[in-house]
Amino acid sequence: MHRFFVTSQSIHEGKANVDGPVARQAARVLRLQTGDSVVLMDNSGCEYVVVLHGISPSRLEGEVVEERRGLGNPGVMLTLYQGVLKGDKFETVLQKGTEIGISTFVPVLCRRSIPRASKGWADGRHPRWQSILTEATEQSGRACIPTLKPLVSLKEALTEASGVRLMAWEKETEMGFRETLVDNMERVKAEGLSFLVGPEGGFDPEEVEEARDAGVVPVSLGQRILRGETAGLAMAAAVMYQMGEMGR
Ligand code: SAH
């Protein structure tokens, strides 16, 4: 069954009434027919199975035949602070990170981020980023869209990050990601995990010192260097695996 996020007003007293892009997609692209069922979600964590009885590119009408709890956020709250990346790489991180189970994404302005990145630049991209998150959430069967925060400076990221706080740093020689994660598992479960990943050029040594001063722990992900868009996704997958969130 196709899954769509709709506004909470679209579902009322057992009836669904949907307009805008979802109606257009259902009618024009998916060519849904009267009698077909869809799953509608209002980002509350509930899902509504709806049998359609009216379909046009401007409006979908249907009857709610089942209301159920959807797939909530994973058992571990992961926040990815991602150094701003070139081109559409941040979009890849949003899409894949949603599939893997990240709860919150925060773009971070680092010293070595692309020159044109700024709060205004990120605000301009916010609607597109939000729709990538919505589509990835629909596709992956989650019932709540991950949170996307506005762009922050590294300093802001270091003060607002909560739970167990790690920074992926390829030059770290003492602390390994796996050991640090395993040693802090109970805190990760209770308080969540925030991890910081740098842009293409990596973090500059002063940034690593600032992170250390703020109590954030730099960790190594092993000897191979991962690209900026790979590191956060790899970390997220490893955490989900460790937490039993990738099948028992
Ligand atoms: N330009 C740097 C690498 C940057 S990789 C260089 O060539 O040395 C982009 C980001 O991915 C880094 O800032 C870091 O956060 C993360 N990363 C990649 N490989 C890593 C590793 N082996 N250990 C820890 N972090 C890594």
Side-chain angles (χ1 to χ4, degrees):
M1 258 188 284
H2 293 285
R3 304 170 62 83
F4 305 100
F5 278 97
V6 296
T7 59
S8 52
Q9 300 93 286
S10 307
I11 298 160
H12 189 61
E13 294 185 346
K15 303 253 180 281
N17 226 305
V18 181
D19 55 14
V22 167
R24 205 160 45 246
Q25 203 202 350
R28 288 252 161 86
V29 183
L30 302 168
R31 300 187 175 279
L32 296 183
Q33 308 288 325
T34 300
D36 285 346
S37 299
V38 293
V39 177
L40 301 184
M41 295 166 290
D42 56 4
N43 210 24
S44 67
C46 284
E47 301 185 341
Y48 305 87
V49 180
V50 170
V51 177
L52 298 173
H53 56 63
I55 303 170
S56 77
S58 59
R59 181 164 298 280
L60 293 184
E61 288 169 346
E63 199 87 34
V64 176
V65 293
E66 188 187 343
E67 180 177 339
R68 62 191 186 203
R69 224 38 261 131
L71 180 63
N73 277 323
V76 55
M77 286 282 289
L78 286 192
T79 303
L80 173 60
Y81 288 87
Q82 174 69 61
V84 168
L85 300 165
K86 285 187 197 147
D88 56 8
K89 289 179 183 154
F90 185 61
E91 299 180 3
T92 305
V93 172
L94 293 174
Q95 185 193 54
K96 309 293 176 210
T98 300
E99 294 165 29
I100 295 170
I102 291 174
S103 296
T104 305
F105 296 88
V106 192
V108 183
L109 197 55
C110 301
R111 294 221 177 107
R112 296 180 185 161
S113 290
I114 46 169
R116 69 171 186 286
S118 64
K119 298 217 181 212
W121 170 87
D123 288 347
R125 270 161 186 70
H126 200 97
R128 181 170 162 75
W129 291 347
Q130 193 63 48
S131 76
I132 289 169
L133 286 179
T134 304
E135 275 173 34
T137 308
E138 288 167 348
Q139 188 274 323
S140 64
R142 295 174 69 172
C144 295
I145 304 171
T147 305
L148 173 62
K149 298 266 188 72
L151 181 81
V152 294
S153 65
L154 182 70
K155 228 180 224 36
E156 288 165 323
L158 294 173
T159 33
E160 71 166 49
S162 64
V164 173
R165 296 169 302 148
L166 307 179
M167 169 184 258
W169 190 41
E170 60 285 356
K171 298 200 176 69
E172 175 59 39
T173 51
E174 308 265 297
M175 303 297 279
F177 171 56
R178 189 180 67 88
E179 210 171 29
T180 313
L181 179 65
V182 170
D183 287 351
N184 287 283
M185 214 56 201
E186 289 313 309
R187 263 192 70 211
V188 170
K189 277 184 198 158
E191 297 168 37
L193 174 62
S194 295
F195 51 84
L196 286 88
V197 171
E200 284 87 356
F203 289 115
D204 122 355
E206 272 180 44
E207 291 179 317
V208 179
E209 281 323 301
E210 281 170 39
R212 259 193 235 285
D213 291 346
V216 174
V217 180
V219 294
S220 162
L221 296 174
Q223 292 178 348
R224 290 173 297 280
I225 303 291
L226 306 159
R227 285 188 187 254
E229 70 273 27
T230 315
L233 298 176
M235 284 176 97
V239 175
M240 289 299 157
Y241 176 83
Q242 190 71 30
M243 296 292 297
E245 288 272 347
M246 294 193 110
R248 283 190 291 153

